[in-house]
Amino acid sequence: KKFANELLAAAQQALCADPAVTMELGQGIETGGVYVSSAAIGKFEGRPVDQLVLQFQINGGNAWAQGIAYGLRDSESGELRLVS
């Protein structure tokens, strides 16, 4: 749950920083409810990582969209990386 919340927050920051997204959806973009999630444990660059993919609603102004975020969290350091 904590990883999912952190990944959604990182996705929201990335969306708000993207001029194409804010032009389409307006200011005040927020990530909404998660529709689907998938998690796995693996390795990235030789380090153990937790992987998470979330499909979620994006709310902005009078419009909405769907987003997909893929993130990795280093199992040892806890560092989060928003991949896409």
Side-chain angles (χ1 to χ4, degrees):
K1 180 87 174 166
K2 181 180 176 191
F3 185 15
N5 290 338
E6 291 172 351
L7 183 56
L8 278 176
Q12 182 170 322
Q13 276 188 310
L15 289 166
C16 289
D18 187 330
V21 174
T22 56
M23 183 177 70
E24 188 70 29
L25 297 177
Q27 298 295 324
I29 294 171
E30 295 180 355
T31 53
V34 173
Y35 301 122
V36 179
S37 64
S38 179
I41 297 172
K43 288 195 180 249
F44 180 75
E45 297 178 350
R47 296 183 58 87
V49 293
D50 300 317
Q51 303 174 54
L52 185 60
V53 179
L54 301 175
Q55 183 177 5
F56 57 95
Q57 183 168 336
I58 303 167
N59 301 308
N62 294 327
W64 65 273
Q66 289 185 6
I68 298 175
Y70 170 51
L72 301 174
R73 182 177 61 192
D74 187 299
S75 298
E76 295 171 354
S77 71
E79 179 185 352
L80 173 73
R81 176 185 280 183
L82 176 65
V83 178
S84 64

